[in-house]
């Protein structure tokens, strides 16, 4: 599924929403926006994305150098049949 998430949301909450343990992704940051900036190594631009494990995260909006909204998309596991 796809989830629109506020940048200030807790990363743990997003992982739970996606059905993962809170330790599924390691991050220095507690928030989704902080995690995104950490992974990209910069303040990202709108539309930029990255994939960690099987979670594709696309930046929807950035305001005052803060990630304000992202789209988190759960990708199918590589070893599962595509529907």
């Amino acid at each position: 599924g796809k989830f629109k998430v506020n940048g200030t949301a807790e990363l743990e909450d997003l992982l739970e929403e996606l059905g993962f343990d809170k330790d599924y992704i390691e991050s220095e940051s507690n928030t989704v926006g902080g995690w995104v900036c950490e992974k990209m190594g910069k303040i990202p631009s709108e539309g930029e994305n990255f994939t960690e494990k099987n979670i594709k995260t696309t930046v929807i909006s950035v305001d005052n150098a803060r990630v304000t909204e992202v789209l988190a998309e759960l990708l199918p596991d590589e070893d599962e049949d595509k529907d």
Side-chain angles (χ1 to χ4, degrees):
K2 295 184 179 185
F3 298 87
K4 269 191 180 178
V5 191
N6 199 303
T8 57
E10 295 284 319
L11 180 56
E12 286 183 7
D13 292 345
L14 170 61
L15 292 174
E16 237 166 65
E17 190 77 38
L18 293 169
F20 296 115
D21 191 77
K22 61 180 171 54
D23 301 325
Y24 183 67
I25 283 178
E26 302 226 339
S27 175
E28 297 289 313
S29 191
N30 295 325
T31 64
V32 171
W35 168 61
V36 169
C37 293
E38 180 189 321
K39 288 309 295 178
M40 294 189 159
K42 61 174 185 174
I43 305 299
S45 303
E46 293 173 7
E48 288 195 283
N49 67 70
F50 68 93
T51 302
E52 181 169 3
K53 299 199 174 169
N54 54 334
I55 303 170
K56 179 180 179 184
T57 306
T58 305
V59 177
I60 297 174
S61 59
V62 179
D63 186 41
N64 286 332
R66 296 182 76 89
V67 175
T68 49
E69 194 174 30
V70 302
L71 181 68
E73 184 179 356
L74 200 49
L75 304 174
D77 287 331
E78 293 302 310
D79 54 0
E80 281 182 20
D81 291 326
K82 306 266 188 285
D83 50 24

